[in-house]
Amino acid sequence: MEWFELDTKINGIGSSIVYAKEKYFIAHNSPSGIAYSEDLKNWKNIELDDNKVKCCNLAYGNGKFLLTGYSGNEKDTYIYVSSNGLDWNLKKVESNVDFSMNSNTCKFLNNIFVFVTGYRYADKNGQTTSVVIEINTTKDCETFNKNILTINTNKDYYIMDIVYYDGIYIMCGFDGLILTSKDLKNWEQQESNVNDDLIGISFGKGCFVITGENGVILTSIDGKKWNTQNSFSNSYLIRSRYTNGIYLAVGHNSTILSSKNAIEWDKEEISSLKIDPFDMIFYDNKFVISGSNFNSINTVAIVYAEITRELSYANDDSLYVFDKNLDLIGVIDNFISLRWRRKYYEAGEMELVVAPYKNNIKYLQKGNIIIRKDYTEAAIITTKEYIDDGHNIELKLSGRFLSYLLHRRIIKSRIDFSGDILDGAKELLRKMTPLTKKFEIEPTTLESEGVIFQCTYKNVYDYEVKLAKRANIGFRIVPSIETKVFRYENFKGLDRTKKQIKNERYCFSKENSNIEKIDLIDTDANECNCVFVGGKGEDTSRILKEVKLNDAEGFELYERFLDAKSENDQNLTEIQYLEVLESKGREILTDDTVTINFTGKSSDYKIKWDLGDIVDVDLSECDFQEEVRIIEVEEVYENGSKNVHLTFGTPLAEKIELND
């Protein structure tokens, strides 16, 4: 990978980085603050109080930010929380001690925030006699729980990082410390076979990876048995991260190591960059590493490497056939016709017709994957037809885009979820039988509303579609040809309407000569803007929750009753139960519906508009001017020509039912 350096010109020692709410955020200290940017080039800074906490560790989840760090100059331990990343509130960490504590890690794991503090006891000679580790958790950054672990030891154990995967939490720390737990309460110490300080831990591709001082790298499949790998480095490796099929280890002296299997490690060439890396994320096809640029004054800096989702050897007209391991097995240079139908909330569809040549029959087998030059999307062949009408013989292949593989999975156990919609979607994926050992889930970076739902024995794909429509955000499974992984990710279209100024505007109209055929349906037949949800109880004692979409009255008021008596209130507070009833009511609220199908040709496709974008439609001849979302794009290649067909829908999220 080719790495580039950017200096934010913001004073401080850069540390954790996250992407959320359409911005990059970097926590830094000395002085403490949050640097933020929308494009990695133009940065602004928010100053925070170094006396309270020296900011180091930043996490995002459930629509909240949590910031921890090293102890300040006061006796109490503090953290910062925020709902937007711009306005920060200071909170004191409750503790039984009268001195401040360091927090070296803060993560959003298993739908909760986890940050670790601690301290040690020593004898009169200063020799450590025991170490106390405090594991703090919160879901909403308002209510906090604490689990305390005491280790009798003469070693200076400090927890430096934590990770979670498939029911197991793992912490690593100084003096070779590795601890595992299933519940964050009961911990078991594992043998690391090293005495080095262990600083960073990650999980990916079926393997846990720990990095630390003296270039140490440890790997484990189960978190219990650890193997030492050769990093060919003696740097202080401060963080380990995995994403998009690649493990990265970063550390002092501008060290960046990468590996595809966690065993063989290569040093990334970063020429003359002068940065001490600390943390890493992957977003928008970029690996972005935060750190500090050590000149005469410390400044927050980043390095980044951009990857492409195009086959380097491909041309625009050919189709490339891969097996389920993402190994290339053939190329289709000529075809009779191709329909490539992209969808925003659902898996797209593919229909391919070719001559039944020997190689075509050999390559185009069920289960093989068809990829085009731009491999953001790919289709798996599900059906083959051999057609002979007496005059012509054709081979017809049809299939669905890779996210339809989720249709082969069910939710096997009851899931009770409360949190952001997109986190709920990923919770289902984590609980299902994995599609493959090479399947990975992108961390949540896009914002979605909160939701409460219960589900059991549902089809995973069907539920993912429901959640996507509720969140108004698309999803897809992207194949990574280079690293041989399948990556689940969310994506969001751009707002290109005239009311905004951030993106280039786009309007479909006869005047702009980009409309050929329109089929428009505008109806309020199914409208409902007020719901009375009936919960438990009978007659006058029955719990009723009124849910309204707007302040409509008179002819404009559309009321309905929803019987939710069967809704389970076990283990719920009264407030939580009412939230469940409200959530069910909002699922059937609807406004008047507009559906538009557009057929035409456009050279602006993927340049000025794309799938998921919100655009203006001006049909003055029909007295219709609206903002709509592009929810489907069908590319048709036939007889040497290309046509593009679009389906427009409402730009608003759909209030559909989620619970059993």
Side-chain angles (χ1 to χ4, degrees):
M1 291 182 284
E2 185 176 6
W3 294 88
F4 302 92
E5 183 176 19
L6 290 174
D7 191 341
T8 67
K9 296 182 171 57
I10 293 174
N11 293 339
I13 299 175
S15 52
S16 290
I17 180 171
V18 302
Y19 183 87
K21 298 185 180 294
E22 301 183 350
K23 295 181 181 67
Y24 296 90
F25 295 89
I26 300 178
H28 63 85
N29 60 82
S30 302
S32 283
I34 296 290
Y36 66 95
S37 170
E38 294 183 356
D39 59 6
L40 291 179
K41 298 177 182 179
N42 302 295
W43 291 85
K44 296 181 180 179
N45 189 50
I46 300 168
E47 295 181 0
L48 298 175
D49 191 350
D50 249 343
N51 290 317
K52 301 291 186 182
V53 55
K54 300 183 185 302
C55 304
C56 293
N57 313 296
L58 181 62
Y60 173 80
N62 275 346
K64 298 290 183 68
F65 294 84
L66 181 60
L67 176 60
T68 71
Y70 304 141
S71 59
N73 299 323
E74 300 190 11
K75 67 175 185 178
D76 294 315
T77 302
Y78 291 94
I79 60 174
Y80 280 101
V81 300
S82 175
S83 296
N84 58 14
L86 305 177
D87 303 301
W88 293 86
N89 298 315
L90 198 64
K91 288 184 177 290
K92 186 172 73 171
V93 178
E94 298 299 327
S95 178
N96 295 324
V97 298
D98 59 355
F99 51 83
S100 60
M101 295 175 286
N102 292 336
S103 172
N104 296 301
T105 182
C106 174
K107 296 281 190 67
F108 185 73
L109 306 169
N110 195 24
N111 201 35
I112 58 173
F113 290 96
V114 182
F115 68 95
V116 184
T117 55
Y119 49 93
R120 69 185 182 96
Y121 288 108
D123 59 22
K124 61 182 180 180
N125 297 318
Q127 178 65 48
T128 299
T129 57
S130 64
V131 170
V132 177
I133 300 170
E134 297 186 350
I135 302 98
N136 303 272
T137 62
T138 179
K139 188 168 187 177
D140 56 9
C141 294
E142 299 294 334
T143 304
F144 293 82
N145 297 310
K146 187 188 300 290
N147 295 309
I148 297 177
L149 170 67
T150 301
I151 303 176
N152 295 319
T153 179
N154 60 0
K155 295 186 176 182
D156 290 337
Y157 287 150
Y158 285 98
I159 298 299
M160 300 302 295
D161 206 0
I162 185 170
V163 75
Y164 171 85
Y165 180 76
D166 196 23
I168 182 172
Y169 296 89
I170 304 180
M171 296 191 298
C172 64
F174 281 9
D175 289 323
L177 178 65
I178 299 176
L179 298 168
T180 61
S181 174
K182 294 182 179 180
D183 56 8
L184 291 174
K185 299 177 183 178
N186 303 291
W187 293 87
E188 181 179 356
Q189 188 167 346
Q190 307 296 339
E191 182 57 59
S192 66
N193 299 311
V194 298
N195 293 317
D196 303 279
D197 292 344
L198 305 180
I199 311 300
I201 182 169
S202 62
F203 178 87
K205 232 173 183 178
C207 182
F208 294 97
V209 177
I210 291 178
T211 55
E213 68 172 343
N214 301 317
V216 66
I217 295 180
L218 306 178
T219 61
S220 175
I221 302 301
D222 59 6
K224 297 182 179 180
K225 182 180 178 182
W226 292 86
N227 300 308
T228 303
Q229 309 299 339
N230 194 340
S231 69
F232 297 100
S233 171
N234 59 3
S235 293
Y236 190 89
L237 300 178
I238 199 166
R239 280 293 181 262
S240 162
R241 294 290 182 262
Y242 171 87
T243 189
N244 199 49
I246 295 178
Y247 302 91
L248 285 182
V250 299
H252 292 177
N253 303 316
S254 302
T255 301
I256 304 176
L257 307 179
S258 65
S259 175
K260 294 180 181 179
N261 58 14
I263 298 174
E264 299 165 309
W265 292 83
D266 297 315
K267 186 173 183 179
E268 292 289 313
E269 295 296 330
I270 55 176
S271 62
S272 60
L273 301 182
K274 299 298 182 183
I275 183 174
D276 267 359
F278 186 94
D279 198 11
M280 184 273 293
I281 60 170
F282 180 79
Y283 176 74
D284 192 27
N285 295 335
K286 296 185 186 73
F287 293 99
V288 183
I289 297 175
S290 60
S292 296
N293 187 1
F294 283 91
N295 297 315
S296 57
I297 300 176
N298 294 341
T299 56
V300 179
I302 62 170
V303 293
Y304 70 93
E306 191 164 5
I307 67 169
T308 178
R309 283 184 173 170
E310 287 192 354
L311 301 175
S312 59
Y313 47 78
N315 62 59
D316 292 331
D317 299 324
S318 297
L319 303 176
Y320 297 81
V321 186
F322 290 76
D323 62 18
K324 63 182 180 181
N325 296 315
L326 294 178
D327 292 323
L328 180 65
I329 58 178
V331 181
I332 307 299
D333 289 318
N334 295 288
F335 49 81
I336 298 170
S337 67
L338 171 67
R339 292 180 179 271
W340 194 263
R341 190 178 185 186
R342 308 170 64 206
K343 298 186 178 184
Y344 189 56
Y345 300 116
E346 304 174 54
E349 301 166 352
M350 176 274 301
E351 182 184 283
L352 172 67
V353 179
V354 298
Y357 300 140
K358 182 178 179 180
N359 279 346
N360 287 347
I361 294 175
K362 176 183 177 182
Y363 299 151
L364 298 173
Q365 299 293 323
K366 288 193 303 180
N368 284 345
I369 298 170
I370 294 179
I371 295 177
R372 301 165 69 188
K373 181 179 180 179
D374 177 353
Y375 63 80
T376 296
E377 296 146 337
I380 184 168
I381 300 172
T382 58
T383 305
K384 290 179 61 177
E385 295 181 61
Y386 186 83
I387 304 172
D388 184 350
D389 63 2
H391 300 283
N392 298 300
I393 302 175
E394 297 177 343
L395 183 63
K396 180 179 178 181
L397 296 309
S398 57
R400 300 293 299 270
F401 288 8
L402 292 179
S403 55
Y404 197 70
L405 289 170
L406 298 174
H407 201 273
R408 302 178 181 181
R409 298 290 184 270
I410 63 168
I411 301 166
K412 294 181 293 185
S413 59
R414 172 169 162 164
I415 294 179
D416 296 283
F417 181 83
S418 174
D420 285 5
I421 294 174
L422 297 185
D423 287 326
K426 290 165 187 176
E427 180 71 6
L428 301 184
L429 301 178
R430 285 187 284 265
K431 294 293 179 63
M432 74 179 188
T433 304
L435 288 177
T436 167
K437 291 182 179 179
K438 299 177 180 179
F439 179 62
E440 63 180 54
I441 304 168
E442 173 195 68
T444 300
T445 57
L446 298 176
E447 187 176 4
S448 59
E449 67 179 28
V451 68
I452 299 174
F453 65 80
Q454 302 168 342
C455 61
T456 314
Y457 300 121
K458 299 293 184 181
N459 182 274
V460 173
Y461 171 79
D462 293 341
Y463 221 86
E464 292 292 322
V465 170
K466 285 186 176 184
L467 291 169
K469 291 180 177 179
R470 278 290 300 269
N472 211 5
I473 292 174
F475 72 97
R476 59 195 173 201
I477 294 178
V478 180
S480 176
I481 304 304
E482 181 182 359
T483 56
K484 310 297 184 186
V485 298
F486 297 89
R487 180 179 174 84
Y488 174 97
E489 65 181 23
N490 293 109
F491 67 103
K492 186 176 182 180
L494 299 177
D495 185 348
R496 298 188 178 277
T497 61
K498 61 184 178 182
K499 71 179 183 181
Q500 55 81 44
I501 59 175
K502 181 178 179 181
N503 305 306
E504 183 179 359
R505 300 172 181 175
Y506 198 88
C507 177
F508 285 100
S509 69
K510 290 287 185 67
E511 183 179 349
N512 291 335
S513 301
N514 52 16
I515 288 181
E516 183 176 300
K517 181 181 177 182
I518 280 285
D519 179 14
L520 183 148
I521 302 174
D522 186 355
T523 179
D524 64 1
N526 298 311
E527 186 170 352
C528 169
N529 51 30
C530 180
V531 182
F532 291 91
V533 186
K536 63 183 180 179
E538 300 291 340
D539 299 327
T540 57
S541 63
R542 186 168 188 181
I543 294 178
L544 287 177
K545 178 66 177 179
E546 181 182 5
V547 186
K548 299 191 70 173
L549 182 64
N550 49 44
D551 295 326
E553 57 184 17
F555 283 4
E556 283 70 43
L557 180 61
Y558 296 76
E559 295 180 339
R560 289 189 191 178
F561 175 78
L562 176 63
D563 188 349
K565 185 178 292 186
S566 61
E567 195 66 35
N568 191 344
D569 68 335
Q570 187 176 5
N571 299 324
L572 296 178
T573 65
E574 181 179 353
I575 293 177
Q576 289 172 329
Y577 181 61
L578 290 175
E579 288 176 349
V580 170
L581 297 183
E582 180 174 352
S583 177
K584 290 191 69 67
R586 291 197 174 278
E587 289 166 4
I588 66 171
L589 288 173
T590 58
D591 208 338
D592 57 336
T593 303
V594 179
T595 302
I596 306 175
N597 296 313
F598 159 65
T599 304
K601 299 178 181 179
S602 177
S603 58
D604 296 338
Y605 177 41
K606 291 189 176 181
I607 299 174
K608 295 185 177 181
W609 59 266
D610 203 349
L611 178 69
D613 287 354
I614 303 174
V615 297
D616 290 312
V617 172
D618 186 355
L619 302 175
S620 54
E621 64 275 15
C622 302
D623 191 26
F624 182 87
Q625 295 87 31
E626 292 284 351
E627 299 171 0
V628 295
R629 186 183 293 280
I630 303 171
I631 59 174
E632 293 184 14
V633 180
E634 183 180 40
E635 303 171 40
V636 179
Y637 302 82
E638 197 168 26
N639 300 322
S641 65
K642 173 184 176 181
N643 291 310
V644 179
H645 308 284
L646 289 82
T647 300
F648 296 138
T650 173
L652 303 176
E654 295 189 31
K655 301 299 183 180
I656 57 179
E657 184 173 353
L658 294 177
N659 291 284
D660 287 345

